Amino acid sequence: MSVEDLTKEVRALAQEKNAIILAHNYQLSEVQDVADLTGDSLALSIQASKTRANIIIFCGVRFMAETAAIVCPDKKVILPVQDAGCGMADMLDAERLRAEKARFPGVPVVTYVNSTAEVKAESDICCTSANAVQVVRSIKGPEVLMTPDKNLAMWVQRHTDQKVHYWPGYCPIHNNLTVGEVKEAKAAHPRAVLMAHPECLPEVLEMADAVKSTSGMLTFAAESRATEFIVGTEIGLLHQLKKQNPMKKFWAVSPKMICTDMKKTGLNDVLQALKAERPVITIPEETRLKALKAVERMMAVPRD
Ligand code: 13P
Ligand code: SF4
Protein backbone atom coordinates (compact mmCIF):
# COMPACT_ATOMS: atom_id res chain seq x y z
CA MET A 1 0.00 0.00 0.00
CA SER A 2 1.27 3.52 -0.71
CA VAL A 3 2.09 5.96 2.09
CA GLU A 4 -0.94 8.00 1.05
CA ASP A 5 -3.33 5.02 1.24
CA LEU A 6 -1.87 3.84 4.53
CA THR A 7 -2.21 7.35 5.95
CA LYS A 8 -5.88 7.53 4.91
CA GLU A 9 -6.63 4.13 6.39
CA VAL A 10 -4.92 4.96 9.68
CA ARG A 11 -6.78 8.27 9.97
CA ALA A 12 -10.16 6.67 9.21
CA LEU A 13 -9.64 3.85 11.71
CA ALA A 14 -8.38 6.23 14.40
CA GLN A 15 -11.54 8.28 14.04
CA GLU A 16 -13.80 5.21 14.05
CA LYS A 17 -12.17 3.88 17.24
CA ASN A 18 -11.86 7.26 19.01
CA ALA A 19 -8.09 6.79 19.15
CA ILE A 20 -5.51 9.56 19.41
CA ILE A 21 -2.13 9.13 17.72
CA LEU A 22 0.79 10.77 19.50
CA ALA A 23 4.21 10.86 17.83
CA HIS A 24 7.55 11.94 19.22
CA ASN A 25 9.60 14.48 17.25
CA TYR A 26 12.13 11.75 16.32
CA GLN A 27 9.63 9.46 14.58
CA LEU A 28 9.75 8.78 10.83
CA SER A 29 8.30 11.69 8.81
CA GLU A 30 5.26 9.72 7.63
CA VAL A 31 4.46 8.67 11.20
CA GLN A 32 4.75 12.29 12.41
CA ASP A 33 2.44 13.32 9.57
CA VAL A 34 -0.28 10.78 10.42
CA ALA A 35 -0.31 11.75 14.12
CA ASP A 36 -2.86 13.98 15.82
CA LEU A 37 -0.05 15.53 17.82
CA THR A 38 3.73 15.58 17.71
CA GLY A 39 5.96 16.85 20.48
CA ASP A 40 8.68 16.34 23.04
CA SER A 41 8.34 14.02 26.06
CA LEU A 42 6.77 16.69 28.25
CA ALA A 43 4.20 17.86 25.69
CA LEU A 44 3.19 14.29 24.87
CA SER A 45 2.78 13.31 28.56
CA ILE A 46 0.59 16.37 29.09
CA GLN A 47 -1.48 15.56 26.00
CA ALA A 48 -1.87 11.96 27.15
CA SER A 49 -3.11 13.12 30.55
CA LYS A 50 -5.73 15.39 28.94
CA THR A 51 -7.09 13.28 26.11
CA ARG A 52 -10.72 12.19 25.86
CA ALA A 53 -9.83 9.41 23.42
CA ASN A 54 -10.33 5.77 24.49
CA ILE A 55 -7.13 4.56 22.86
CA ILE A 56 -3.69 6.20 22.76
CA ILE A 57 -1.40 4.99 19.99
CA PHE A 58 2.02 6.09 21.19
CA CYS A 59 4.53 6.33 18.37
CA GLY A 60 7.78 6.61 20.25
CA VAL A 61 9.71 4.39 22.63
CA ARG A 62 8.58 2.29 25.59
CA PHE A 63 9.26 4.80 28.40
CA MET A 64 7.01 7.34 26.64
CA ALA A 65 4.11 4.90 26.30
CA GLU A 66 4.67 3.85 29.92
CA THR A 67 4.38 7.47 31.01
CA ALA A 68 1.06 7.70 29.16
CA ALA A 69 -0.10 4.48 30.87
CA ILE A 70 0.95 5.91 34.25
CA VAL A 71 -1.16 9.04 33.81
CA CYS A 72 -4.10 7.37 31.98
CA PRO A 73 -5.04 4.12 33.76
CA ASP A 74 -8.48 4.15 32.13
CA LYS A 75 -7.15 4.28 28.54
CA LYS A 76 -5.73 1.60 26.32
CA VAL A 77 -2.14 2.75 25.67
CA ILE A 78 -0.59 1.03 22.67
CA LEU A 79 3.08 1.03 21.63
CA PRO A 80 2.96 -0.19 18.01
CA VAL A 81 6.40 -1.84 18.12
CA GLN A 82 6.91 -3.65 21.39
CA ASP A 83 10.70 -3.64 21.39
CA ALA A 84 11.12 0.08 20.67
CA GLY A 85 13.22 0.89 23.73
CA CYS A 86 15.66 3.51 24.95
CA GLY A 87 19.35 2.79 25.53
CA MET A 88 19.47 5.34 28.32
CA ALA A 89 16.40 4.01 30.18
CA ASP A 90 18.01 0.55 30.11
CA MET A 91 21.04 1.86 32.05
CA LEU A 92 19.23 1.94 35.40
CA ASP A 93 16.84 -0.43 37.14
CA ALA A 94 14.94 -0.16 40.42
CA GLU A 95 17.35 -2.36 42.35
CA ARG A 96 20.40 -0.31 41.41
CA LEU A 97 18.51 2.91 42.15
CA ARG A 98 17.60 1.63 45.63
CA ALA A 99 21.31 0.91 46.25
CA GLU A 100 22.24 4.39 44.99
CA LYS A 101 19.61 6.01 47.24
CA ALA A 102 21.17 4.23 50.21
CA ARG A 103 24.41 6.11 49.43
CA PHE A 104 22.53 9.45 49.59
CA PRO A 105 20.03 9.06 52.46
CA GLY A 106 17.29 11.71 52.45
CA VAL A 107 18.46 13.31 49.19
CA PRO A 108 15.52 13.88 46.78
CA VAL A 109 15.68 11.78 43.62
CA VAL A 110 14.93 13.58 40.35
CA THR A 111 14.41 11.14 37.50
CA TYR A 112 14.43 12.02 33.82
CA VAL A 113 11.32 10.60 32.09
CA ASN A 114 13.69 8.52 29.93
CA SER A 115 13.46 5.78 32.55
CA THR A 116 11.38 2.71 33.33
CA ALA A 117 8.15 2.91 35.34
CA GLU A 118 9.89 0.98 38.16
CA VAL A 119 12.66 3.60 38.34
CA LYS A 120 10.09 6.42 38.34
CA ALA A 121 8.31 4.62 41.19
CA GLU A 122 11.53 4.81 43.26
CA SER A 123 11.87 8.56 42.57
CA ASP A 124 10.53 11.69 44.24
CA ILE A 125 9.91 13.71 41.11
CA CYS A 126 10.37 13.36 37.35
CA CYS A 127 11.71 15.86 34.86
CA THR A 128 12.12 16.14 31.11
CA SER A 129 14.71 17.97 29.05
CA ALA A 130 12.21 20.86 28.83
CA ASN A 131 11.84 21.45 32.58
CA ALA A 132 14.83 19.82 34.36
CA VAL A 133 16.28 23.09 35.69
CA GLN A 134 12.89 24.33 36.97
CA VAL A 135 12.18 20.94 38.59
CA VAL A 136 15.49 20.88 40.49
CA ARG A 137 15.12 24.52 41.56
CA SER A 138 11.60 23.73 42.85
CA ILE A 139 13.12 21.32 45.39
CA LYS A 140 13.78 22.90 48.77
CA GLY A 141 17.06 21.41 49.86
CA PRO A 142 20.80 21.73 49.24
CA GLU A 143 21.28 18.60 47.12
CA VAL A 144 19.52 16.27 44.68
CA LEU A 145 20.29 12.94 43.03
CA MET A 146 19.54 12.97 39.29
CA THR A 147 19.03 9.79 37.25
CA PRO A 148 19.68 8.30 34.74
CA ASP A 149 21.39 10.93 32.51
CA LYS A 150 24.76 12.33 33.60
CA ASN A 151 24.83 14.94 30.83
CA LEU A 152 21.41 16.40 31.69
CA ALA A 153 22.48 16.41 35.37
CA MET A 154 25.72 18.26 34.58
CA TRP A 155 23.73 20.77 32.49
CA VAL A 156 21.34 21.35 35.42
CA GLN A 157 24.32 21.74 37.78
CA ARG A 158 25.41 24.76 35.75
CA HIS A 159 22.03 26.42 36.47
CA THR A 160 21.53 25.79 40.18
CA ASP A 161 23.40 26.36 43.44
CA GLN A 162 22.19 22.98 44.72
CA LYS A 163 24.65 20.10 44.58
CA VAL A 164 23.57 17.70 41.81
CA HIS A 165 24.71 14.10 42.30
CA TYR A 166 24.05 11.86 39.32
CA TRP A 167 23.82 8.35 37.95
CA PRO A 168 26.38 7.82 35.13
CA GLY A 169 23.87 6.89 32.39
CA TYR A 170 23.68 8.56 29.00
CA CYS A 171 21.98 8.49 25.63
CA PRO A 172 24.12 6.37 23.29
CA ILE A 173 23.33 8.72 20.40
CA HIS A 174 23.76 12.18 21.94
CA ASN A 175 26.70 11.17 24.13
CA ASN A 176 28.52 9.98 21.02
CA LEU A 177 28.58 13.40 19.36
CA THR A 178 32.12 14.79 19.52
CA VAL A 179 33.51 18.31 19.68
CA GLY A 180 35.38 17.54 16.42
CA GLU A 181 32.12 16.69 14.61
CA VAL A 182 30.49 19.87 15.88
CA LYS A 183 33.50 21.89 14.72
CA GLU A 184 33.18 20.30 11.26
CA ALA A 185 29.48 21.16 11.08
CA LYS A 186 30.21 24.74 12.14
CA ALA A 187 32.97 25.05 9.53
CA ALA A 188 30.62 23.73 6.82
CA HIS A 189 27.83 26.16 7.86
CA PRO A 190 29.56 29.22 9.32
CA ARG A 191 26.39 31.37 9.44
CA ALA A 192 24.30 28.76 11.22
CA VAL A 193 23.20 28.89 14.85
CA LEU A 194 23.90 25.68 16.84
CA MET A 195 21.03 24.17 18.85
CA ALA A 196 21.91 21.22 21.08
CA HIS A 197 19.98 18.79 23.26
CA PRO A 198 21.03 18.62 26.95
CA GLU A 199 21.76 14.89 26.51
CA CYS A 200 24.94 15.95 24.64
CA LEU A 201 28.34 16.06 26.36
CA PRO A 202 29.09 19.22 28.42
CA GLU A 203 31.89 20.22 26.02
CA VAL A 204 29.42 20.05 23.11
CA LEU A 205 26.82 22.09 25.02
CA GLU A 206 29.55 24.65 25.68
CA MET A 207 29.69 25.28 21.91
CA ALA A 208 25.90 25.67 21.49
CA ASP A 209 23.97 28.90 21.01
CA ALA A 210 20.86 27.29 22.50
CA VAL A 211 20.39 24.17 24.66
CA LYS A 212 16.81 22.96 24.32
CA SER A 213 14.42 20.01 24.37
CA THR A 214 13.22 18.95 20.91
CA SER A 215 10.08 21.11 21.11
CA GLY A 216 12.19 23.87 22.65
CA MET A 217 14.30 23.80 19.48
CA LEU A 218 11.15 24.14 17.35
CA THR A 219 10.10 27.24 19.30
CA PHE A 220 13.63 28.66 19.26
CA ALA A 221 14.02 28.20 15.49
CA ALA A 222 10.62 29.76 14.79
CA GLU A 223 11.27 32.80 16.99
CA SER A 224 14.94 33.34 16.08
CA ARG A 225 15.97 35.98 13.56
CA ALA A 226 18.62 33.53 12.32
CA THR A 227 17.88 31.72 9.07
CA GLU A 228 20.29 28.77 9.32
CA PHE A 229 20.56 26.23 12.11
CA ILE A 230 22.75 23.24 12.96
CA VAL A 231 20.55 20.71 14.75
CA GLY A 232 22.35 18.97 17.61
CA THR A 233 19.89 16.17 18.23
CA GLU A 234 18.35 13.12 16.53
CA ILE A 235 17.73 13.76 12.82
CA GLY A 236 13.96 13.08 13.05
CA LEU A 237 13.48 16.60 14.37
CA LEU A 238 14.53 18.04 11.01
CA HIS A 239 11.14 17.06 9.57
CA GLN A 240 9.13 19.37 11.87
CA LEU A 241 11.80 22.09 11.75
CA LYS A 242 11.62 22.22 7.94
CA LYS A 243 7.83 21.84 7.84
CA GLN A 244 7.25 24.66 10.32
CA ASN A 245 9.96 26.98 8.92
CA PRO A 246 9.97 26.56 5.13
CA MET A 247 12.05 29.71 4.61
CA LYS A 248 14.86 28.63 6.96
CA LYS A 249 17.68 26.10 6.54
CA PHE A 250 18.43 23.22 8.90
CA TRP A 251 21.53 21.00 8.92
CA ALA A 252 21.97 17.81 10.93
CA VAL A 253 25.07 18.21 13.13
CA SER A 254 26.14 14.71 12.08
CA PRO A 255 24.50 12.02 9.93
CA LYS A 256 25.13 9.50 12.72
CA MET A 257 22.53 11.13 15.03
CA ILE A 258 19.97 8.38 14.48
CA CYS A 259 18.07 6.59 17.25
CA THR A 260 17.28 3.22 15.67
CA ASP A 261 14.57 2.51 18.25
CA MET A 262 12.75 5.69 17.26
CA LYS A 263 12.84 4.52 13.63
CA LYS A 264 11.33 1.08 14.27
CA THR A 265 7.72 2.27 13.94
CA GLY A 266 6.37 2.47 10.39
CA LEU A 267 2.93 3.45 9.14
CA ASN A 268 1.98 -0.19 8.70
CA ASP A 269 2.87 -0.87 12.36
CA VAL A 270 0.56 1.97 13.36
CA LEU A 271 -2.23 0.51 11.22
CA GLN A 272 -1.78 -3.02 12.60
CA ALA A 273 -1.67 -1.71 16.18
CA LEU A 274 -4.91 0.18 15.63
CA LYS A 275 -6.60 -2.83 14.05
CA ALA A 276 -5.54 -5.32 16.72
CA GLU A 277 -5.55 -2.79 19.60
CA ARG A 278 -2.26 -4.16 20.85
CA PRO A 279 0.43 -4.40 22.14
CA VAL A 280 -1.05 -2.70 25.20
CA ILE A 281 1.31 -1.23 27.78
CA THR A 282 0.31 -2.15 31.33
CA ILE A 283 2.00 -1.20 34.59
CA PRO A 284 1.40 -3.08 37.87
CA GLU A 285 -0.91 -0.85 39.94
CA GLU A 286 1.44 -0.48 42.92
CA THR A 287 4.26 0.68 40.64
CA ARG A 288 1.91 2.92 38.65
CA LEU A 289 0.63 4.76 41.73
CA LYS A 290 4.15 5.42 43.01
CA ALA A 291 5.37 6.54 39.58
CA LEU A 292 2.28 8.71 39.15
CA LYS A 293 3.24 10.73 42.23
CA ALA A 294 6.63 11.52 40.69
CA VAL A 295 5.08 12.45 37.32
CA GLU A 296 2.31 14.57 38.90
CA ARG A 297 4.83 16.46 41.03
CA MET A 298 6.73 17.27 37.83
CA MET A 299 3.59 18.47 36.09
CA ALA A 300 2.79 20.80 39.02
CA VAL A 301 6.12 22.65 38.61
CA PRO A 302 5.49 25.95 36.82
CA ARG A 303 7.30 26.41 33.50
CA ASP A 304 9.25 29.62 32.76
P1 13P B 1 12.69 15.46 24.28
O1 13P B 1 11.83 15.31 25.49
O2 13P B 1 13.51 16.71 24.28
O3 13P B 1 11.88 15.36 23.04
O4 13P B 1 13.78 14.29 24.27
C1 13P B 1 13.45 12.94 24.35
C2 13P B 1 14.58 12.09 24.00
O5 13P B 1 14.49 10.89 24.00
C3 13P B 1 15.83 12.72 23.67
O6 13P B 1 16.76 11.78 23.25
FE1 SF4 C 1 16.67 7.10 24.33
FE2 SF4 C 1 18.64 8.45 23.17
FE3 SF4 C 1 16.79 7.28 21.65
FE4 SF4 C 1 16.20 9.46 23.14
S1 SF4 C 1 17.60 9.34 21.39
S2 SF4 C 1 14.97 7.60 22.95
S3 SF4 C 1 17.47 9.09 24.95
S4 SF4 C 1 18.27 6.24 23.03
Side-chain angles (χ1 to χ4, degrees), residues 41 70 78 131 149 218-219 229 255 269 291 300:
S41 308
I70 289 165
I78 295 169
N131 64 10
D149 186 9
L218 284 165
T219 308
F229 302 82
D269 301 302

Side-chain angles (χ1 to χ4, degrees), residues 24 26 40-41 63-64 112 114 129 174 197 199 213-214:
H24 186 262
Y26 294 161
D40 64 5
S41 308
F63 77 78
M64 296 179 173
Y112 191 26
N114 297 33
S129 58
H174 289 84
H197 196 277
E199 290 175 11
S213 74
T214 57

Side-chain angles (χ1 to χ4, degrees), residues 132-133 136 144 146 151-160 164:
V133 173
V136 170
V144 297
M146 282 191 80
N151 292 326
L152 180 67
M154 284 189 269
W155 170 249
V156 170
Q157 181 66 88
R158 288 185 51 181
H159 294 89
T160 178
V164 180

